[in-house]
Amino acid sequence: MKKHNFSAGPSILPQEVLKQASEAVIDFNGLGLSLVEISHRSKDFIAVMDNAQALVKELLEVPEGYSVLFLQGGASTEFLMAPYNLLTEGGKAAYVDTGAWSSKAIKEAKNFGETIVVASSKDKGYSYIPKGYDIPNDVDYIHFTSNNTIFGTQLKEFPGGNALKVVDMSSDIFSRKIDVSQFDVIYAGAQKNMGPSGTTLVIVKDAIFGTSGRTIPSMLDYAVHAKAGSMFNTPPVFPVYVSMLTLEWLKEKGGIDAIEKINNEKAALLYNEIDSNPSFVGFAAKEDRSNMNVTFTLADESKKEKFDALAAEAGISGINGHRSVGGYRASIYNAMPIESIQVLVNAMQEVNK
Ligand SMILES: *Cc1c(COP(=O)(O)O)cnc(C)c1O
Protein backbone atom coordinates (compact mmCIF):
# COMPACT_ATOMS: atom_id res chain seq x y z
CA MET A 1 0.00 0.00 0.00
CA LYS A 2 1.25 3.49 -0.90
CA LYS A 3 1.86 5.39 2.35
CA HIS A 4 0.81 8.93 3.26
CA ASN A 5 4.27 10.46 3.61
CA PHE A 6 4.53 13.19 6.28
CA SER A 7 8.34 12.97 6.52
CA ALA A 8 10.16 16.22 7.39
CA GLY A 9 13.03 15.62 4.99
CA PRO A 10 13.96 14.01 2.73
CA SER A 11 10.29 14.22 2.01
CA ILE A 12 7.42 13.68 -0.35
CA LEU A 13 7.80 14.37 -4.08
CA PRO A 14 5.04 14.21 -6.69
CA GLN A 15 4.42 10.65 -7.92
CA GLU A 16 4.69 11.69 -11.57
CA VAL A 17 8.08 13.27 -10.86
CA LEU A 18 9.38 10.06 -9.28
CA LYS A 19 8.17 8.09 -12.29
CA GLN A 20 9.82 10.42 -14.83
CA ALA A 21 13.01 10.50 -12.77
CA SER A 22 13.21 6.72 -12.57
CA GLU A 23 12.78 6.46 -16.35
CA ALA A 24 15.56 9.01 -16.95
CA VAL A 25 17.91 6.94 -14.80
CA ILE A 26 17.49 4.09 -17.30
CA ASP A 27 17.21 6.01 -20.57
CA PHE A 28 17.44 9.80 -20.68
CA ASN A 29 15.83 11.67 -23.59
CA GLY A 30 15.89 8.47 -25.68
CA LEU A 31 19.70 8.68 -25.82
CA GLY A 32 20.12 5.04 -24.88
CA LEU A 33 22.11 6.31 -21.89
CA SER A 34 21.24 7.06 -18.29
CA LEU A 35 20.97 10.63 -17.03
CA VAL A 36 23.60 9.71 -14.44
CA GLU A 37 26.12 8.36 -16.95
CA ILE A 38 26.40 11.24 -19.41
CA SER A 39 28.70 14.24 -19.28
CA HIS A 40 27.45 17.26 -17.39
CA ARG A 41 28.90 19.22 -20.33
CA SER A 42 26.66 17.39 -22.83
CA LYS A 43 23.97 19.49 -24.49
CA ASP A 44 21.28 17.30 -22.92
CA PHE A 45 22.44 18.04 -19.39
CA ILE A 46 23.20 21.71 -20.05
CA ALA A 47 19.55 22.00 -21.12
CA VAL A 48 18.52 20.53 -17.74
CA MET A 49 20.60 23.04 -15.79
CA ASP A 50 19.37 25.95 -17.95
CA ASN A 51 15.77 24.86 -17.56
CA ALA A 52 16.06 24.36 -13.78
CA GLN A 53 17.55 27.83 -13.36
CA ALA A 54 14.94 29.39 -15.66
CA LEU A 55 12.10 27.73 -13.72
CA VAL A 56 13.44 29.08 -10.42
CA LYS A 57 13.60 32.57 -11.94
CA GLU A 58 10.12 32.32 -13.41
CA LEU A 59 8.35 30.80 -10.40
CA LEU A 60 9.94 33.15 -7.85
CA GLU A 61 10.04 36.15 -10.21
CA VAL A 62 13.75 36.57 -9.54
CA PRO A 63 14.77 40.08 -10.63
CA GLU A 64 17.78 40.94 -12.82
CA GLY A 65 21.09 40.96 -10.99
CA TYR A 66 20.70 37.63 -9.18
CA SER A 67 22.37 34.28 -9.92
CA VAL A 68 20.64 30.94 -9.42
CA LEU A 69 23.02 28.21 -8.26
CA PHE A 70 22.60 24.50 -7.56
CA LEU A 71 25.40 23.71 -5.12
CA GLN A 72 26.36 20.71 -2.96
CA GLY A 73 27.02 20.35 0.75
CA GLY A 74 23.45 20.97 1.90
CA ALA A 75 22.04 24.01 3.63
CA SER A 76 24.61 23.26 6.35
CA THR A 77 27.43 24.36 4.03
CA GLU A 78 25.57 27.63 3.43
CA PHE A 79 25.81 28.23 7.19
CA LEU A 80 29.52 28.86 6.58
CA MET A 81 29.42 30.13 2.99
CA ALA A 82 27.21 33.06 3.98
CA PRO A 83 29.69 34.47 6.55
CA TYR A 84 32.68 33.59 4.37
CA ASN A 85 31.21 35.70 1.57
CA LEU A 86 29.62 38.50 3.59
CA LEU A 87 31.29 38.96 6.98
CA THR A 88 34.22 41.39 6.78
CA GLU A 89 37.36 41.09 8.91
CA GLY A 90 36.52 42.98 12.10
CA GLY A 91 32.87 43.19 11.04
CA LYS A 92 29.75 41.93 12.76
CA ALA A 93 26.96 39.56 11.76
CA ALA A 94 23.43 39.55 13.20
CA TYR A 95 21.24 36.47 13.58
CA VAL A 96 17.66 35.82 14.60
CA ASP A 97 17.67 32.60 16.60
CA THR A 98 14.42 30.73 15.97
CA GLY A 99 15.50 27.14 16.45
CA ALA A 100 18.00 24.37 15.94
CA TRP A 101 18.90 25.34 12.37
CA SER A 102 19.41 29.01 13.27
CA SER A 103 21.63 27.93 16.16
CA LYS A 104 23.76 25.83 13.83
CA ALA A 105 24.08 28.77 11.43
CA ILE A 106 25.16 31.01 14.34
CA LYS A 107 27.78 28.49 15.42
CA GLU A 108 29.37 28.53 11.96
CA ALA A 109 29.30 32.34 11.67
CA LYS A 110 31.24 32.59 14.93
CA ASN A 111 34.20 30.96 13.14
CA PHE A 112 34.44 34.06 10.96
CA GLY A 113 33.91 36.93 13.37
CA GLU A 114 31.67 38.68 15.84
CA THR A 115 28.19 37.24 15.66
CA ILE A 116 25.34 38.75 17.63
CA VAL A 117 21.91 37.31 18.28
CA VAL A 118 19.45 40.19 17.94
CA ALA A 119 16.41 38.14 18.95
CA SER A 120 15.73 34.60 20.13
CA SER A 121 12.72 32.49 21.02
CA LYS A 122 14.81 30.02 22.99
CA ASP A 123 13.17 31.21 26.25
CA LYS A 124 9.95 29.42 25.27
CA GLY A 125 11.41 26.38 23.57
CA TYR A 126 11.37 28.03 20.13
CA SER A 127 7.58 27.94 20.05
CA TYR A 128 7.20 31.44 18.59
CA ILE A 129 8.85 33.98 16.27
CA PRO A 130 10.42 37.02 17.98
CA LYS A 131 9.19 40.37 16.67
CA GLY A 132 9.84 44.07 17.14
CA TYR A 133 13.62 43.84 17.61
CA ASP A 134 16.14 46.34 16.32
CA ILE A 135 18.81 45.53 13.77
CA PRO A 136 21.99 47.51 14.55
CA ASN A 137 23.20 49.75 11.73
CA ASP A 138 26.75 48.46 11.83
CA VAL A 139 26.18 44.80 10.97
CA ASP A 140 27.43 43.30 7.70
CA TYR A 141 24.27 41.24 7.33
CA ILE A 142 21.32 39.75 9.17
CA HIS A 143 20.34 36.08 8.91
CA PHE A 144 16.86 34.58 9.25
CA THR A 145 15.43 31.08 9.10
CA SER A 146 12.11 31.53 7.31
CA ASN A 147 10.56 28.25 8.45
CA ASN A 148 11.60 26.29 11.49
CA THR A 149 11.25 22.72 10.33
CA ILE A 150 11.68 21.18 13.76
CA PHE A 151 9.47 23.50 15.82
CA GLY A 152 6.78 24.30 13.27
CA THR A 153 7.04 28.09 13.28
CA GLN A 154 7.29 30.39 10.25
CA LEU A 155 8.21 34.02 9.69
CA LYS A 156 5.16 35.65 8.15
CA GLU A 157 7.06 38.83 7.36
CA PHE A 158 10.68 39.91 7.35
CA PRO A 159 11.95 43.11 8.98
CA GLY A 160 13.16 45.91 6.70
CA GLY A 161 16.31 47.96 7.29
CA ASN A 162 19.47 48.48 5.33
CA ALA A 163 21.52 45.45 6.37
CA LEU A 164 22.17 42.77 3.77
CA LYS A 165 19.68 39.94 4.28
CA VAL A 166 20.42 36.23 4.23
CA VAL A 167 17.66 33.71 4.64
CA ASP A 168 17.54 29.95 5.06
CA MET A 169 14.36 28.92 3.21
CA SER A 170 15.10 25.19 3.20
CA SER A 171 11.68 24.11 4.33
CA ASP A 172 9.34 26.65 2.76
CA ILE A 173 10.86 27.76 -0.52
CA PHE A 174 8.30 27.57 -3.37
CA SER A 175 5.48 27.22 -0.84
CA ARG A 176 4.44 30.88 -0.76
CA LYS A 177 5.04 34.15 -2.52
CA ILE A 178 8.28 35.90 -1.58
CA ASP A 179 9.85 39.13 -2.73
CA VAL A 180 13.32 38.03 -3.78
CA SER A 181 14.49 41.66 -4.05
CA GLN A 182 14.23 41.90 -0.22
CA PHE A 183 17.12 39.46 0.12
CA ASP A 184 20.79 39.23 -0.82
CA VAL A 185 21.25 35.50 -0.32
CA ILE A 186 18.45 32.92 -0.24
CA TYR A 187 19.42 29.29 0.27
CA ALA A 188 17.50 26.05 0.56
CA GLY A 189 18.43 22.40 0.72
CA ALA A 190 16.44 20.66 -2.01
CA GLN A 191 15.13 17.79 0.06
CA LYS A 192 12.24 19.53 1.81
CA ASN A 193 10.22 21.06 -0.97
CA MET A 194 12.08 20.75 -4.27
CA GLY A 195 13.82 17.45 -4.92
CA PRO A 196 16.05 14.74 -3.49
CA SER A 197 18.89 15.60 -1.14
CA GLY A 198 22.21 16.38 -2.77
CA THR A 199 21.75 19.91 -4.02
CA THR A 200 21.18 23.28 -2.39
CA LEU A 201 19.47 26.06 -4.25
CA VAL A 202 21.20 29.42 -3.75
CA ILE A 203 19.79 32.66 -5.13
CA VAL A 204 22.44 35.29 -4.68
CA LYS A 205 22.55 38.97 -5.55
CA ASP A 206 25.57 39.51 -7.79
CA ALA A 207 26.25 42.88 -6.13
CA ILE A 208 27.44 41.09 -2.95
CA PHE A 209 30.35 39.32 -4.62
CA GLY A 210 33.59 40.27 -2.88
CA THR A 211 31.80 41.90 0.08
CA SER A 212 33.77 40.11 2.81
CA GLY A 213 37.12 41.07 1.31
CA ARG A 214 38.41 37.61 2.22
CA THR A 215 40.32 35.13 0.11
CA ILE A 216 37.68 32.46 -0.29
CA PRO A 217 38.43 28.89 -1.44
CA SER A 218 36.87 28.50 -4.90
CA MET A 219 34.24 25.94 -3.92
CA LEU A 220 32.95 28.24 -1.16
CA ASP A 221 32.89 31.40 -3.23
CA TYR A 222 29.48 32.39 -4.60
CA ALA A 223 31.12 34.47 -7.32
CA VAL A 224 33.07 31.48 -8.66
CA HIS A 225 29.92 29.37 -8.98
CA ALA A 226 27.92 32.23 -10.48
CA LYS A 227 30.59 32.98 -13.08
CA ALA A 228 30.62 29.31 -14.10
CA GLY A 229 26.84 29.14 -14.43
CA SER A 230 26.69 26.68 -11.51
CA MET A 231 28.98 24.33 -13.48
CA PHE A 232 32.31 25.15 -11.80
CA ASN A 233 32.72 21.46 -11.05
CA THR A 234 30.48 18.47 -11.74
CA PRO A 235 27.04 19.50 -10.51
CA PRO A 236 24.78 17.01 -8.70
CA VAL A 237 23.11 15.92 -11.94
CA PHE A 238 20.36 13.72 -10.53
CA PRO A 239 19.12 16.10 -7.79
CA VAL A 240 19.19 19.00 -10.28
CA TYR A 241 17.19 16.98 -12.80
CA VAL A 242 14.57 15.90 -10.25
CA SER A 243 14.34 19.48 -8.93
CA MET A 244 13.72 20.61 -12.51
CA LEU A 245 10.90 18.07 -12.85
CA THR A 246 9.34 19.20 -9.55
CA LEU A 247 9.48 22.83 -10.63
CA GLU A 248 7.84 21.90 -13.96
CA TRP A 249 5.14 20.11 -11.95
CA LEU A 250 4.68 23.22 -9.82
CA LYS A 251 4.41 25.45 -12.88
CA GLU A 252 1.76 23.16 -14.36
CA LYS A 253 -0.19 23.37 -11.09
CA GLY A 254 -0.38 27.14 -11.54
CA GLY A 255 2.85 28.21 -9.85
CA ILE A 256 3.37 29.85 -6.48
CA ASP A 257 0.01 31.65 -6.21
CA ALA A 258 -1.90 28.42 -6.82
CA ILE A 259 0.23 26.29 -4.48
CA GLU A 260 0.11 28.91 -1.73
CA LYS A 261 -3.67 28.84 -1.79
CA ILE A 262 -3.67 25.03 -1.59
CA ASN A 263 -1.05 25.09 1.17
CA ASN A 264 -3.20 27.49 3.19
CA GLU A 265 -6.19 25.17 2.83
CA LYS A 266 -4.14 22.11 3.78
CA ALA A 267 -2.68 23.76 6.88
CA ALA A 268 -6.09 25.12 7.94
CA LEU A 269 -7.61 21.64 7.75
CA LEU A 270 -5.01 20.22 10.11
CA TYR A 271 -4.79 23.17 12.52
CA ASN A 272 -8.58 23.31 12.78
CA GLU A 273 -8.53 19.68 13.86
CA ILE A 274 -5.78 20.33 16.42
CA ASP A 275 -7.74 23.27 17.86
CA SER A 276 -11.11 21.53 17.98
CA ASN A 277 -10.04 18.03 19.02
CA PRO A 278 -9.74 17.71 22.83
CA SER A 279 -7.09 14.99 22.47
CA PHE A 280 -4.51 17.26 20.81
CA VAL A 281 -2.60 20.46 21.60
CA GLY A 282 -0.71 22.59 19.08
CA PHE A 283 2.94 23.36 19.85
CA ALA A 284 3.60 26.68 18.06
CA ALA A 285 2.10 30.09 18.89
CA LYS A 286 -0.97 30.45 16.67
CA GLU A 287 0.13 33.57 14.78
CA ASP A 288 3.50 31.96 13.96
CA ARG A 289 2.29 28.55 12.84
CA SER A 290 4.08 27.01 9.91
CA ASN A 291 2.13 25.97 6.82
CA MET A 292 4.77 23.33 6.11
CA ASN A 293 5.53 21.58 9.42
CA VAL A 294 2.63 21.16 11.81
CA THR A 295 3.72 20.31 15.36
CA PHE A 296 1.36 18.99 18.02
CA THR A 297 1.20 16.72 21.06
CA LEU A 298 -1.39 14.57 22.73
CA ALA A 299 -3.27 16.24 25.58
CA ASP A 300 -3.30 12.87 27.31
CA GLU A 301 -0.20 10.73 26.76
CA SER A 302 -2.10 7.59 27.67
CA LYS A 303 -3.76 7.79 24.24
CA LYS A 304 -0.42 7.46 22.45
CA GLU A 305 -0.65 3.75 21.78
CA LYS A 306 -4.16 4.09 20.38
CA PHE A 307 -3.31 7.04 18.13
CA ASP A 308 -0.09 5.48 16.86
CA ALA A 309 -1.97 2.30 15.97
CA LEU A 310 -4.73 4.23 14.19
CA ALA A 311 -2.14 6.21 12.23
CA ALA A 312 -0.20 3.10 11.23
CA GLU A 313 -3.39 1.34 10.17
CA ALA A 314 -4.28 4.31 7.95
CA GLY A 315 -0.87 4.14 6.21
CA ILE A 316 0.41 7.35 7.81
CA SER A 317 4.21 7.57 7.81
CA GLY A 318 6.71 10.01 9.30
CA ILE A 319 4.67 11.92 11.90
CA ASN A 320 6.90 11.42 14.92
CA GLY A 321 8.10 14.76 16.25
CA HIS A 322 11.80 15.66 16.19
CA ARG A 323 13.64 14.10 19.13
CA SER A 324 14.18 17.57 20.66
CA VAL A 325 10.46 18.44 20.70
CA GLY A 326 8.65 15.12 21.02
CA GLY A 327 4.99 14.67 20.14
CA TYR A 328 4.08 14.75 16.47
CA ARG A 329 5.09 16.69 13.40
CA ALA A 330 3.18 16.43 10.16
CA SER A 331 5.19 17.88 7.29
CA ILE A 332 2.80 18.92 4.56
CA TYR A 333 5.03 20.15 1.77
CA ASN A 334 3.84 21.14 -1.72
CA ALA A 335 3.58 17.56 -2.99
CA MET A 336 1.36 16.41 -0.11
CA PRO A 337 -2.23 16.03 -1.35
CA ILE A 338 -5.04 17.35 0.87
CA GLU A 339 -6.55 13.84 0.78
CA SER A 340 -3.60 12.56 2.85
CA ILE A 341 -4.17 15.29 5.42
CA GLN A 342 -7.81 14.25 5.60
CA VAL A 343 -6.65 10.70 6.36
CA LEU A 344 -4.59 12.06 9.27
CA VAL A 345 -7.50 14.19 10.50
CA ASN A 346 -9.75 11.12 10.42
CA ALA A 347 -7.23 9.16 12.51
CA MET A 348 -7.10 12.05 15.00
CA GLN A 349 -10.90 11.95 15.29
CA GLU A 350 -10.92 8.18 15.77
CA VAL A 351 -8.86 8.60 18.95
CA ASN A 352 -11.93 9.97 20.72
CA LYS A 353 -14.20 7.09 19.75
C1 LIG B 1 16.89 20.50 6.85
C2 LIG B 1 17.29 21.90 7.13
C3 LIG B 1 18.64 22.30 7.13
C4 LIG B 1 19.78 21.33 6.91
O1 LIG B 1 19.88 20.99 5.60
P1 LIG B 1 21.03 20.00 5.08
O2 LIG B 1 20.75 20.03 3.61
O3 LIG B 1 20.80 18.68 5.72
O4 LIG B 1 22.34 20.59 5.44
C5 LIG B 1 18.92 23.62 7.36
N1 LIG B 1 17.94 24.52 7.59
C6 LIG B 1 16.64 24.17 7.62
C7 LIG B 1 15.61 25.21 7.88
C8 LIG B 1 16.27 22.85 7.38
O5 LIG B 1 14.98 22.49 7.40
Side-chain angles (χ1 to χ4, degrees):
M1 169 175 119
K2 183 68 196 161
K3 296 274 175 71
H4 302 283
N5 183 6
F6 290 89
S7 171
S11 38
I12 188 167
L13 289 170
Q15 276 304 301
E16 49 269 54
V17 165
L18 294 179
K19 187 161 179 296
Q20 274 177 282
S22 65
E23 285 163 3
V25 168
I26 304 297
D27 184 3
F28 180 48
N29 282 356
L31 294 172
L33 295 165
S34 166
L35 167 77
V36 300
E37 60 180 11
I38 60 168
S39 168
H40 60 290
R41 308 275 176 205
S42 64
K43 80 173 182 359
D44 289 86
F45 185 76
I46 289 171
V48 169
M49 180 60 90
D50 288 348
N51 192 19
Q53 290 171 329
L55 283 160
V56 171
K57 287 183 178 168
E58 183 182 343
L59 288 163
L60 296 179
E61 298 174 38
V62 178
E64 285 295 306
Y66 284 79
S67 296
V68 173
L69 312 176
F70 286 91
L71 305 184
Q72 302 191 56
S76 299
T77 298
E78 299 316 305
F79 295 165
L80 68 103
M81 277 179 80
Y84 221 151
N85 284 265
L86 295 176
L87 183 50
T88 58
E89 302 277 0
K92 207 192 289 182
Y95 279 71
V96 180
D97 174 27
T98 51
W101 296 118
S102 309
S103 305
K104 288 185 177 171
I106 291 164
K107 178 169 182 270
E108 296 306 309
K110 284 182 174 164
N111 290 322
F112 294 88
E114 190 183 348
T115 303
I116 59 168
V117 175
V118 291
S120 173
S121 50
K122 196 174 180 179
D123 58 341
K124 289 186 185 161
Y126 295 120
S127 60
Y128 70 102
I129 299 292
K131 297 166 200 85
Y133 48 85
D134 289 324
I135 304 169
N137 288 325
D138 61 344
V139 297
D140 287 339
Y141 68 90
I142 178 152
H143 179 282
F144 309 98
T145 311
S146 65
N147 185 72
N148 298 283
T149 325
I150 293 174
F151 300 94
T153 60
Q154 190 172 27
L155 267 81
K156 304 295 172 184
E157 47 190 80
F158 297 86
N162 293 330
L164 297 182
K165 294 191 185 62
V166 180
V167 60
D168 176 358
M169 288 195 185
S170 292
S171 51
D172 68 352
I173 193 139
F174 300 115
S175 73
R176 59 172 171 171
K177 206 171 179 68
I178 53 161
D179 175 6
V180 172
S181 72
Q182 270 192 296
F183 303 101
D184 298 277
V185 179
I186 297 172
Y187 63 87
Q191 70 273 18
K192 310 286 169 45
N193 216 10
M194 186 174 72
S197 64
T199 192
T200 315
L201 173 63
V202 178
I203 304 169
V204 56
K205 194 172 190 172
D206 300 342
I208 65 101
F209 297 154
T211 299
S212 74
R214 296 174 194 262
T215 303
I216 306 171
S218 305
M219 277 298 283
L220 301 177
D221 188 345
Y222 290 132
V224 167
H225 289 288
K227 191 160 168 263
S230 203
M231 293 269 221
F232 173 68
N233 69 323
T234 314
V237 294
F238 184 71
V240 172
Y241 178 68
V242 182
S243 297
M244 182 203 83
L245 293 177
T246 310
L247 297 177
E248 276 177 344
W249 168 88
L250 179 54
K251 185 178 164 182
E252 271 164 34
K253 284 207 98 146
I256 302 292
D257 287 338
I259 205 79
E260 180 168 15
K261 193 164 161 283
I262 297 169
N263 286 335
N264 286 337
E265 286 165 15
K266 282 156 52 183
L269 175 62
L270 189 47
Y271 284 120
N272 284 340
E273 185 57 30
I274 290 168
D275 291 340
S276 61
N277 187 324
S279 291
F280 295 94
V281 187
F283 174 78
K286 280 191 184 173
E287 71 274 18
D288 302 322
R289 282 173 163 176
S290 166
N291 276 1
M292 294 282 101
N293 310 96
V294 178
T295 46
F296 55 100
T297 54
L298 277 164
D300 174 1
E301 272 301 313
S302 71
K303 290 185 175 163
K304 181 169 165 48
E305 211 171 309
K306 184 175 181 189
F307 178 57
D308 287 351
L310 284 165
E313 205 177 300
I316 290 165
S317 169
I319 57 164
N320 281 337
H322 188 268
R323 58 189 184 281
S324 63
V325 182
Y328 298 96
R329 167 176 53 175
S331 297
I332 54 173
Y333 298 117
N334 286 354
M336 165 71 60
I338 197 159
E339 291 76 16
S340 289
I341 299 172
Q342 188 61 54
V343 169
L344 174 58
V345 164
N346 294 348
M348 291 166 78
Q349 290 172 354
E350 283 292 314
V351 171
N352 300 317
K353 291 186 183 152

